[in-house]
Amino acid sequence: MTAHLPQSQRTSNSDLYEQDFYLWIQTTAELLKQGRLTELDLENLIDEIETMGRSEKKALRSNLEVVLMHLLKYKYQAEKRSGSWRGTIREHRKRLREALEESPSLKPYFGEVFGLCYENARLLAADETELHPATFPEESPFTPEQILDPDFLPEL
């Protein structure tokens, strides 16, 4: 694609990465399609692919924490339950299920980070509810299966 630019705008792929990220993506995709592998900016391409993997994991952790936090709020502040909380739980469960369907290799990671995500969600729930953290159990009262179950809502 850089070949279609005027001479004054032509630049190396690595320079393009710094100057116009979207154009770099388009150029990289075109070079891949054409099999012009020697012209690729491999260093930045590898970095971007690795970043995509980290982003998938980060999104999974974030969605898991949101579901756990809202389930804790739902369980321990029954008097404040709302459609908004249920909607948030439903939306983030959907995101989790989609991530695990699109990338089944994330399922072991879901199990690995479940405890850490619960610890974070417990503190976030304490902040949002203004209840003492000790109000919430140290271990998750919810199973990974319950987190993904679209119909599960906790009772006291």
Side-chain angles (χ1 to χ4, degrees):
M1 298 218 27
T2 54
H4 299 310
L5 295 173
Q7 183 65 36
S8 62
Q9 291 181 0
R10 289 185 193 170
T11 184
S12 74
N13 285 339
S14 59
D15 289 340
L16 189 58
Y17 179 84
E18 299 297 328
Q19 296 168 7
D20 188 334
F21 182 70
Y22 182 71
L23 183 57
W24 177 84
I25 290 172
Q26 291 178 309
T27 301
T28 301
E30 190 61 32
L31 290 171
L32 286 166
K33 287 176 191 173
Q34 294 176 9
R36 294 165 50 193
L37 305 181
T38 59
E39 297 176 49
L40 288 172
D41 173 11
L42 285 178
E43 183 179 335
N44 286 318
L45 179 59
I46 291 167
D47 186 50
E48 287 304 319
I49 290 171
E50 289 173 341
T51 298
M52 288 170 54
R54 287 189 300 271
S55 294
E56 291 295 312
K57 286 181 166 183
K58 184 176 181 179
L60 184 130
R61 286 191 316 268
S62 175
N63 287 311
L64 179 54
E65 286 177 9
V66 169
V67 171
L68 285 163
M69 176 186 62
H70 276 78
L71 288 174
L72 286 171
K73 289 168 40 175
Y74 193 90
K75 180 174 174 115
Y76 291 93
Q77 276 198 325
E79 71 282 359
K80 293 190 177 185
R81 290 178 180 171
S82 69
S84 173
W85 284 1
R86 285 186 299 279
T88 297
I89 292 167
R90 184 174 306 282
E91 173 62 27
H92 289 271
R93 275 182 170 153
K94 178 178 81 72
R95 292 179 190 184
L96 283 170
R97 283 192 311 275
E98 287 173 350
L100 294 173
E101 287 168 8
E102 292 171 8
S103 299
S105 63
L106 284 174
K107 287 179 184 175
Y109 183 72
F110 179 85
E112 289 171 25
V113 297
F114 190 86
L116 176 63
C117 288
Y118 176 74
E119 290 175 27
N120 293 336
R122 181 176 173 253
L123 296 175
L124 290 168
D127 290 343
E128 285 203 13
T129 62
E130 297 184 346
L131 296 172
H132 192 278
T135 305
F136 309 105
E138 288 189 27
E139 299 290 322
S140 176
F142 318 116
T143 67
E145 294 76 23
Q146 289 171 324
I147 297 305
L148 297 172
D149 181 344
D151 298 319
F152 171 77
L153 289 172
E155 298 301 325
L156 279 174

mmCIF file of all heavy atoms in Angstrom, residues 63 66-67 70-71 83-98 147-153:
data_model
loop_
_atom_site.group_PDB
_atom_site.id
_atom_site.type_symbol
_atom_site.label_atom_id
_atom_site.label_comp_id
_atom_site.label_asym_id
_atom_site.label_seq_id
_atom_site.Cartn_x
_atom_site.Cartn_y
_atom_site.Cartn_z
ATOM 1 N N ASN A 63 -14.119 -9.029 32.682
ATOM 2 C CA ASN A 63 -15.516 -9.467 32.663
ATOM 3 C C ASN A 63 -15.823 -10.403 33.832
ATOM 4 O O ASN A 63 -16.894 -10.323 34.428
ATOM 5 C CB ASN A 63 -15.856 -10.132 31.327
ATOM 6 C CG ASN A 63 -15.959 -9.119 30.212
ATOM 7 O OD1 ASN A 63 -16.617 -8.102 30.337
ATOM 8 N ND2 ASN A 63 -15.277 -9.380 29.120
ATOM 9 N N VAL A 66 -16.236 -8.317 36.987
ATOM 10 C CA VAL A 66 -17.515 -7.603 36.999
ATOM 11 C C VAL A 66 -18.650 -8.544 37.397
ATOM 12 O O VAL A 66 -19.494 -8.196 38.231
ATOM 13 C CB VAL A 66 -17.801 -6.933 35.636
ATOM 14 C CG1 VAL A 66 -19.227 -6.414 35.552
ATOM 15 C CG2 VAL A 66 -16.812 -5.797 35.385
ATOM 16 N N VAL A 67 -18.677 -9.743 36.825
ATOM 17 C CA VAL A 67 -19.734 -10.703 37.170
ATOM 18 C C VAL A 67 -19.640 -11.068 38.643
ATOM 19 O O VAL A 67 -20.648 -11.038 39.369
ATOM 20 C CB VAL A 67 -19.660 -11.971 36.288
ATOM 21 C CG1 VAL A 67 -20.618 -13.047 36.793
ATOM 22 C CG2 VAL A 67 -19.972 -11.639 34.837
ATOM 23 N N HIS A 70 -20.768 -8.134 40.921
ATOM 24 C CA HIS A 70 -22.214 -7.895 40.905
ATOM 25 C C HIS A 70 -22.985 -9.040 41.557
ATOM 26 O O HIS A 70 -24.020 -8.812 42.187
ATOM 27 C CB HIS A 70 -22.695 -7.618 39.481
ATOM 28 C CG HIS A 70 -22.517 -6.179 39.108
ATOM 29 N ND1 HIS A 70 -21.295 -5.669 38.750
ATOM 30 C CD2 HIS A 70 -23.395 -5.150 39.064
ATOM 31 C CE1 HIS A 70 -21.435 -4.380 38.499
ATOM 32 N NE2 HIS A 70 -22.689 -4.037 38.685
ATOM 33 N N LEU A 71 -22.487 -10.269 41.434
ATOM 34 C CA LEU A 71 -23.136 -11.375 42.137
ATOM 35 C C LEU A 71 -22.994 -11.213 43.647
ATOM 36 O O LEU A 71 -23.940 -11.492 44.405
ATOM 37 C CB LEU A 71 -22.579 -12.719 41.686
ATOM 38 C CG LEU A 71 -22.973 -13.176 40.279
ATOM 39 C CD1 LEU A 71 -22.245 -14.457 39.901
ATOM 40 C CD2 LEU A 71 -24.481 -13.352 40.147
ATOM 41 N N GLY A 83 -32.688 -4.055 38.266
ATOM 42 C CA GLY A 83 -32.580 -4.543 36.899
ATOM 43 C C GLY A 83 -31.236 -4.187 36.303
ATOM 44 O O GLY A 83 -30.694 -4.934 35.476
ATOM 45 N N SER A 84 -30.675 -3.084 36.727
ATOM 46 C CA SER A 84 -29.365 -2.666 36.234
ATOM 47 C C SER A 84 -28.300 -3.681 36.631
ATOM 48 O O SER A 84 -27.434 -4.035 35.816
ATOM 49 C CB SER A 84 -29.021 -1.283 36.793
ATOM 50 O OG SER A 84 -27.706 -0.926 36.456
ATOM 51 N N TRP A 85 -28.344 -4.159 37.865
ATOM 52 C CA TRP A 85 -27.370 -5.163 38.294
ATOM 53 C C TRP A 85 -27.553 -6.440 37.484
ATOM 54 O O TRP A 85 -26.578 -7.031 37.028
ATOM 55 C CB TRP A 85 -27.539 -5.485 39.777
ATOM 56 C CG TRP A 85 -26.994 -4.449 40.718
ATOM 57 C CD1 TRP A 85 -26.391 -3.267 40.385
ATOM 58 C CD2 TRP A 85 -27.007 -4.508 42.136
ATOM 59 N NE1 TRP A 85 -26.038 -2.586 41.517
ATOM 60 C CE2 TRP A 85 -26.403 -3.325 42.611
ATOM 61 C CE3 TRP A 85 -27.474 -5.433 43.057
ATOM 62 C CZ2 TRP A 85 -26.243 -3.060 43.967
ATOM 63 C CZ3 TRP A 85 -27.325 -5.169 44.403
ATOM 64 C CH2 TRP A 85 -26.718 -3.994 44.857
ATOM 65 N N ARG A 86 -28.810 -6.880 37.329
ATOM 66 C CA ARG A 86 -29.056 -8.109 36.560
ATOM 67 C C ARG A 86 -28.598 -7.934 35.115
ATOM 68 O O ARG A 86 -28.030 -8.850 34.520
ATOM 69 C CB ARG A 86 -30.537 -8.502 36.634
ATOM 70 C CG ARG A 86 -30.923 -9.099 37.987
ATOM 71 C CD ARG A 86 -32.348 -9.620 38.018
ATOM 72 N NE ARG A 86 -33.357 -8.593 37.764
ATOM 73 C CZ ARG A 86 -33.820 -7.727 38.681
ATOM 74 N NH1 ARG A 86 -33.382 -7.786 39.922
ATOM 75 N NH2 ARG A 86 -34.726 -6.845 38.350
ATOM 76 N N GLY A 87 -28.831 -6.753 34.553
ATOM 77 C CA GLY A 87 -28.395 -6.480 33.183
ATOM 78 C C GLY A 87 -26.882 -6.514 33.050
ATOM 79 O O GLY A 87 -26.344 -7.038 32.066
ATOM 80 N N THR A 88 -26.197 -5.965 34.034
ATOM 81 C CA THR A 88 -24.732 -5.985 34.018
ATOM 82 C C THR A 88 -24.224 -7.417 34.121
ATOM 83 O O THR A 88 -23.305 -7.816 33.393
ATOM 84 C CB THR A 88 -24.167 -5.126 35.171
ATOM 85 O OG1 THR A 88 -24.570 -3.770 34.960
ATOM 86 C CG2 THR A 88 -22.649 -5.202 35.240
ATOM 87 N N ILE A 89 -24.819 -8.201 35.010
ATOM 88 C CA ILE A 89 -24.422 -9.608 35.154
ATOM 89 C C ILE A 89 -24.633 -10.339 33.829
ATOM 90 O O ILE A 89 -23.759 -11.044 33.342
ATOM 91 C CB ILE A 89 -25.214 -10.285 36.299
ATOM 92 C CG1 ILE A 89 -24.788 -9.700 37.651
ATOM 93 C CG2 ILE A 89 -25.019 -11.801 36.270
ATOM 94 C CD1 ILE A 89 -25.717 -10.061 38.807
ATOM 95 N N ARG A 90 -25.797 -10.138 33.232
ATOM 96 C CA ARG A 90 -26.116 -10.821 31.971
ATOM 97 C C ARG A 90 -25.137 -10.431 30.853
ATOM 98 O O ARG A 90 -24.631 -11.276 30.123
ATOM 99 C CB ARG A 90 -27.551 -10.520 31.538
ATOM 100 C CG ARG A 90 -27.959 -11.279 30.284
ATOM 101 C CD ARG A 90 -29.428 -11.094 29.925
ATOM 102 N NE ARG A 90 -30.351 -11.396 30.985
ATOM 103 C CZ ARG A 90 -30.721 -12.640 31.352
ATOM 104 N NH1 ARG A 90 -30.199 -13.678 30.733
ATOM 105 N NH2 ARG A 90 -31.583 -12.820 32.332
ATOM 106 N N GLU A 91 -24.868 -9.140 30.724
ATOM 107 C CA GLU A 91 -23.981 -8.655 29.658
ATOM 108 C C GLU A 91 -22.562 -9.216 29.809
ATOM 109 O O GLU A 91 -21.957 -9.671 28.840
ATOM 110 C CB GLU A 91 -23.947 -7.126 29.659
ATOM 111 C CG GLU A 91 -22.929 -6.513 28.711
ATOM 112 C CD GLU A 91 -23.149 -6.839 27.249
ATOM 113 O OE1 GLU A 91 -24.301 -7.099 26.837
ATOM 114 O OE2 GLU A 91 -22.162 -6.835 26.487
ATOM 115 N N HIS A 92 -22.028 -9.184 31.009
ATOM 116 C CA HIS A 92 -20.647 -9.634 31.197
ATOM 117 C C HIS A 92 -20.531 -11.156 31.164
ATOM 118 O O HIS A 92 -19.493 -11.673 30.741
ATOM 119 C CB HIS A 92 -20.049 -9.009 32.457
ATOM 120 C CG HIS A 92 -19.787 -7.547 32.272
ATOM 121 N ND1 HIS A 92 -18.611 -7.061 31.780
ATOM 122 C CD2 HIS A 92 -20.601 -6.466 32.439
ATOM 123 C CE1 HIS A 92 -18.689 -5.747 31.674
ATOM 124 N NE2 HIS A 92 -19.885 -5.363 32.068
ATOM 125 N N ARG A 93 -21.592 -11.851 31.548
ATOM 126 C CA ARG A 93 -21.606 -13.312 31.349
ATOM 127 C C ARG A 93 -21.582 -13.632 29.863
ATOM 128 O O ARG A 93 -20.888 -14.546 29.431
ATOM 129 C CB ARG A 93 -22.876 -13.911 31.956
ATOM 130 C CG ARG A 93 -22.787 -14.210 33.396
ATOM 131 C CD ARG A 93 -24.081 -14.830 33.870
ATOM 132 N NE ARG A 93 -23.913 -15.340 35.209
ATOM 133 C CZ ARG A 93 -24.888 -15.457 36.071
ATOM 134 N NH1 ARG A 93 -26.129 -15.114 35.743
ATOM 135 N NH2 ARG A 93 -24.648 -15.930 37.274
ATOM 136 N N LYS A 94 -22.349 -12.890 29.111
ATOM 137 C CA LYS A 94 -22.388 -13.091 27.658
ATOM 138 C C LYS A 94 -20.994 -12.877 27.072
ATOM 139 O O LYS A 94 -20.527 -13.672 26.248
ATOM 140 C CB LYS A 94 -23.398 -12.135 27.022
ATOM 141 C CG LYS A 94 -23.492 -12.234 25.498
ATOM 142 C CD LYS A 94 -24.544 -11.296 24.921
ATOM 143 C CE LYS A 94 -24.112 -9.903 24.757
ATOM 144 N NZ LYS A 94 -23.184 -9.535 23.731
ATOM 145 N N ARG A 95 -20.327 -11.843 27.501
ATOM 146 C CA ARG A 95 -18.966 -11.571 27.016
ATOM 147 C C ARG A 95 -18.015 -12.705 27.375
ATOM 148 O O ARG A 95 -17.158 -13.090 26.568
ATOM 149 C CB ARG A 95 -18.447 -10.255 27.601
ATOM 150 C CG ARG A 95 -19.172 -9.032 27.085
ATOM 151 C CD ARG A 95 -18.631 -7.780 27.715
ATOM 152 N NE ARG A 95 -19.459 -6.618 27.417
ATOM 153 C CZ ARG A 95 -19.166 -5.388 27.787
ATOM 154 N NH1 ARG A 95 -18.050 -5.153 28.471
ATOM 155 N NH2 ARG A 95 -19.968 -4.396 27.481
ATOM 156 N N LEU A 96 -18.154 -13.232 28.598
ATOM 157 C CA LEU A 96 -17.312 -14.363 29.006
ATOM 158 C C LEU A 96 -17.577 -15.588 28.144
ATOM 159 O O LEU A 96 -16.637 -16.227 27.660
ATOM 160 C CB LEU A 96 -17.561 -14.716 30.476
ATOM 161 C CG LEU A 96 -16.920 -13.816 31.520
ATOM 162 C CD1 LEU A 96 -17.451 -14.146 32.907
ATOM 163 C CD2 LEU A 96 -15.408 -13.933 31.473
ATOM 164 N N ARG A 97 -18.847 -15.917 27.967
ATOM 165 C CA ARG A 97 -19.180 -17.097 27.157
ATOM 166 C C ARG A 97 -18.689 -16.942 25.730
ATOM 167 O O ARG A 97 -18.134 -17.874 25.145
ATOM 168 C CB ARG A 97 -20.695 -17.354 27.191
ATOM 169 C CG ARG A 97 -21.180 -17.996 28.478
ATOM 170 C CD ARG A 97 -22.613 -18.499 28.377
ATOM 171 N NE ARG A 97 -23.545 -17.529 27.834
ATOM 172 C CZ ARG A 97 -24.163 -16.582 28.546
ATOM 173 N NH1 ARG A 97 -23.954 -16.496 29.846
ATOM 174 N NH2 ARG A 97 -25.000 -15.748 27.971
ATOM 175 N N GLU A 98 -18.858 -15.755 25.150
ATOM 176 C CA GLU A 98 -18.392 -15.515 23.784
ATOM 177 C C GLU A 98 -16.879 -15.663 23.694
ATOM 178 O O GLU A 98 -16.361 -16.269 22.746
ATOM 179 C CB GLU A 98 -18.811 -14.121 23.310
ATOM 180 C CG GLU A 98 -20.288 -14.009 23.010
ATOM 181 C CD GLU A 98 -20.738 -12.586 22.708
ATOM 182 O OE1 GLU A 98 -19.938 -11.626 22.909
ATOM 183 O OE2 GLU A 98 -21.897 -12.419 22.304
ATOM 184 N N ILE A 147 -20.980 -18.911 37.444
ATOM 185 C CA ILE A 147 -20.614 -17.622 36.843
ATOM 186 C C ILE A 147 -21.066 -17.574 35.391
ATOM 187 O O ILE A 147 -21.535 -16.542 34.910
ATOM 188 C CB ILE A 147 -19.086 -17.394 36.932
ATOM 189 C CG1 ILE A 147 -18.634 -17.307 38.380
ATOM 190 C CG2 ILE A 147 -18.651 -16.157 36.145
ATOM 191 C CD1 ILE A 147 -19.330 -16.269 39.215
ATOM 192 N N LEU A 148 -20.950 -18.687 34.696
ATOM 193 C CA LEU A 148 -21.300 -18.731 33.275
ATOM 194 C C LEU A 148 -22.765 -19.076 33.022
ATOM 195 O O LEU A 148 -23.250 -18.896 31.911
ATOM 196 C CB LEU A 148 -20.398 -19.744 32.560
ATOM 197 C CG LEU A 148 -18.910 -19.412 32.573
ATOM 198 C CD1 LEU A 148 -18.090 -20.566 32.027
ATOM 199 C CD2 LEU A 148 -18.625 -18.127 31.813
ATOM 200 N N ASP A 149 -23.477 -19.531 34.044
ATOM 201 C CA ASP A 149 -24.874 -19.930 33.912
ATOM 202 C C ASP A 149 -25.766 -18.707 33.741
ATOM 203 O O ASP A 149 -25.861 -17.875 34.656
ATOM 204 C CB ASP A 149 -25.303 -20.723 35.148
ATOM 205 C CG ASP A 149 -26.743 -21.206 35.101
ATOM 206 O OD1 ASP A 149 -27.549 -20.711 34.267
ATOM 207 O OD2 ASP A 149 -27.088 -22.071 35.921
ATOM 208 N N PRO A 150 -26.419 -18.538 32.585
ATOM 209 C CA PRO A 150 -27.209 -17.318 32.351
ATOM 210 C C PRO A 150 -28.400 -17.164 33.285
ATOM 211 O O PRO A 150 -28.928 -16.058 33.431
ATOM 212 C CB PRO A 150 -27.674 -17.464 30.894
ATOM 213 C CG PRO A 150 -27.494 -18.892 30.555
ATOM 214 C CD PRO A 150 -26.448 -19.458 31.457
ATOM 215 N N ASP A 151 -28.805 -18.238 33.962
ATOM 216 C CA ASP A 151 -29.983 -18.169 34.829
ATOM 217 C C ASP A 151 -29.644 -18.106 36.310
ATOM 218 O O ASP A 151 -30.531 -17.909 37.142
ATOM 219 C CB ASP A 151 -30.894 -19.372 34.560
ATOM 220 C CG ASP A 151 -31.405 -19.370 33.134
ATOM 221 O OD1 ASP A 151 -31.764 -18.278 32.632
ATOM 222 O OD2 ASP A 151 -31.405 -20.443 32.515
ATOM 223 N N PHE A 152 -28.376 -18.283 36.674
ATOM 224 C CA PHE A 152 -28.024 -18.331 38.094
ATOM 225 C C PHE A 152 -27.997 -16.936 38.703
ATOM 226 O O PHE A 152 -27.338 -16.032 38.186
ATOM 227 C CB PHE A 152 -26.654 -18.994 38.315
ATOM 228 C CG PHE A 152 -26.172 -18.865 39.728
ATOM 229 C CD1 PHE A 152 -26.689 -19.664 40.720
ATOM 230 C CD2 PHE A 152 -25.218 -17.907 40.063
ATOM 231 C CE1 PHE A 152 -26.262 -19.524 42.036
ATOM 232 C CE2 PHE A 152 -24.780 -17.755 41.357
ATOM 233 C CZ PHE A 152 -25.298 -18.570 42.362
ATOM 234 N N LEU A 153 -28.717 -16.777 39.800
ATOM 235 C CA LEU A 153 -28.624 -15.600 40.651
ATOM 236 C C LEU A 153 -28.608 -16.100 42.080
ATOM 237 O O LEU A 153 -29.402 -16.964 42.455
ATOM 238 C CB LEU A 153 -29.793 -14.631 40.426
ATOM 239 C CG LEU A 153 -29.774 -13.887 39.106
ATOM 240 C CD1 LEU A 153 -31.073 -13.124 38.916
ATOM 241 C CD2 LEU A 153 -28.591 -12.927 39.042
#
